[in-house]
Amino acid sequence: MLGHEIFVNQYQYECASCHNAVVVRHSDVHFLPAVMHIEGEVADVVERFGHGARPDELAVFDDGHLIAELFLEGWIDIRGKFSTEKSPLIQERDNQLCVEYAPGLYFYQKDIDEFIRTKSAAHTMVEIMLRESGLDLDQADRFYVAGAFGKHVSKESAITIGMYPDMDRDHIINAGNSSLEGAQKLLLNRSLLTDIDQILEEMVYIQFAEVEDFLELMVAAQALPHTDYKRYPTVMKKLKERQKDIKL
């Protein structure tokens, strides 16, 4: 997977990328239907996601929301591992644990593990960009999320699993395919090339692969929502409400 981050304020531009930070093999992901049934209750996983979505987009969207719900219900722990005592729907198939989310349909431990690695890389990129800028999260006015994540992943689910930072939801903007929109604007207005040249001159580039503690930070972010759960007060509050007997 190729990850890109851009940080902008009135004084500076920062951009960064990371090649092969984490690989998600979409062929290994068991795609989910529009509704997940858990012990008689219907959890809206996709809410009639819409026709025409590509399989890789479905994998990103469905898995994130499903993992968030499994976590809040206590069916998986902070490591994303199944808690077999929580439900008879959690069972072993093909030499690994899985949950039967609908009759005859299963969501496997390996799917959760791969998605958590993806979300931890995304979280770590944001953390490093903020650190390099010298600013705290509460100083960020807006948080744009582009691409498939920005188009299809629920803000609340992404925060619950620790992929997005725990911040005011109104400040998180799903930008969609911003690169395509930018290309369209440039074709219609060539004068924007001047702005692009200026931005390139002022931009500071960070290669995540060369950040010494990238892997260390990424490992810390592989918990749900994070090993430092104090970073996610709204998630902890919601978790306490859903699991009255949890000890934090």
Side-chain angles (χ1 to χ4, degrees), residues 36 38 63-87 90 97-99 107-113 115-116 119 157 160-161 222-225 239 243 246:
M36 176 183 70
I38 296 181
D63 290 4
H65 192 71
L66 176 55
I67 291 170
E69 288 301 310
L70 291 172
F71 174 59
L72 291 173
E73 290 297 325
W75 289 30
I76 57 176
D77 60 21
I78 63 171
R79 303 167 300 159
K81 304 302 182 183
F82 281 113
S83 300
T84 55
E85 73 281 1
K86 293 294 184 179
S87 171
I90 301 173
L97 291 176
C98 63
V99 60
F107 188 58
Y108 286 81
Q109 183 67 65
K110 66 178 180 180
D111 301 327
I112 296 175
D113 294 343
F115 194 91
I116 287 179
K119 80 91 180 175
S157 296
T160 298
I161 64 177
Q222 286 182 6
L224 296 173
L239 192 59
Q243 304 180 50
I246 195 167

Side-chain angles (χ1 to χ4, degrees), residues 2-7 12-19 124-134 203-214:
L2 174 62
H4 295 283
E5 302 284 333
I6 298 177
F7 173 87
Q12 66 188 104
Y13 296 94
E14 287 182 1
C15 70
S17 66
C18 186
H19 295 264
T124 302
M125 292 175 188
V126 174
E127 182 175 359
I128 290 173
M129 292 293 283
L130 283 171
R131 184 179 70 184
E132 293 298 318
S133 71
M203 186 168 284
V204 176
Y205 178 73
I206 299 169
Q207 171 55 259
F208 287 126
E210 297 177 359
V211 177
E212 186 174 343
D213 59 346
F214 182 91

Side-chain angles (χ1 to χ4, degrees), residues 1-52:
M1 186 182 83
L2 174 62
H4 295 283
E5 302 284 333
I6 298 177
F7 173 87
V8 180
N9 66 18
Q10 61 180 327
Y11 304 111
Q12 66 188 104
Y13 296 94
E14 287 182 1
C15 70
S17 66
C18 186
H19 295 264
N20 300 322
V22 61
V23 176
V24 178
R25 299 187 303 276
H26 291 300
S27 60
D28 288 344
V29 176
H30 300 255
F31 303 117
L32 312 179
V35 177
M36 176 183 70
H37 297 267
I38 296 181
E39 293 186 342
E41 294 185 3
V42 178
D44 294 324
V45 175
V46 187
E47 294 180 347
R48 292 187 286 275
F49 178 77
H51 301 289

Side-chain angles (χ1 to χ4, degrees), residues 71 91 97 186 189 247:
F71 174 59
Q91 53 194 268
L97 291 176
L186 183 59
N189 184 1
K247 298 190 183 298

Side-chain angles (χ1 to χ4, degrees), residues 211-228:
V211 177
E212 186 174 343
D213 59 346
F214 182 91
L215 290 179
E216 180 182 342
L217 294 172
M218 183 173 165
V219 170
Q222 286 182 6
L224 296 173
H226 194 277
T227 51
D228 183 5

